[in-house]
Amino acid sequence: TPLIAGPAAITTVITVSAEHGLLIGCVASSTAIIINAVLMYISVRVTEKIGKTTLSILIRIIGLFIMAIGIQMILIGIKGFI
């Protein structure tokens, strides 16, 4: 899906394959797919253990951190123009 294999992931695979060869690119892609599958499998169990309320709180906190990083990037970009 686009959330798992977005433009950045596709660009990385193309770059790694061009710089280090097709075999290394395939190994890196396969490793990433396996790690992603394991994390998705584990996430179901973690969600069951911590509960929906705790998960909702964690999602909101992580969202705040991501928003802060985005604002910082915007401010750095604006500062570059000034």
Side-chain angles (χ1 to χ4, degrees), residues 26-70:
C26 288
V27 169
S29 296
S30 299
T31 304
I33 290 169
I34 291 169
I35 290 171
N36 195 358
V38 169
L39 289 175
M40 285 184 177
Y41 180 75
I42 291 172
S43 69
V44 172
R45 307 240 183 222
V46 170
T47 303
E48 291 172 353
K49 297 232 186 242
I50 66 172
K52 292 192 178 210
T53 304
T54 307
L55 182 63
S56 177
I57 293 168
L58 288 173
I59 288 171
R60 290 177 187 270
I61 291 171
I62 292 170
L64 284 172
F65 282 123
I66 292 172
M67 183 178 62
I69 291 169

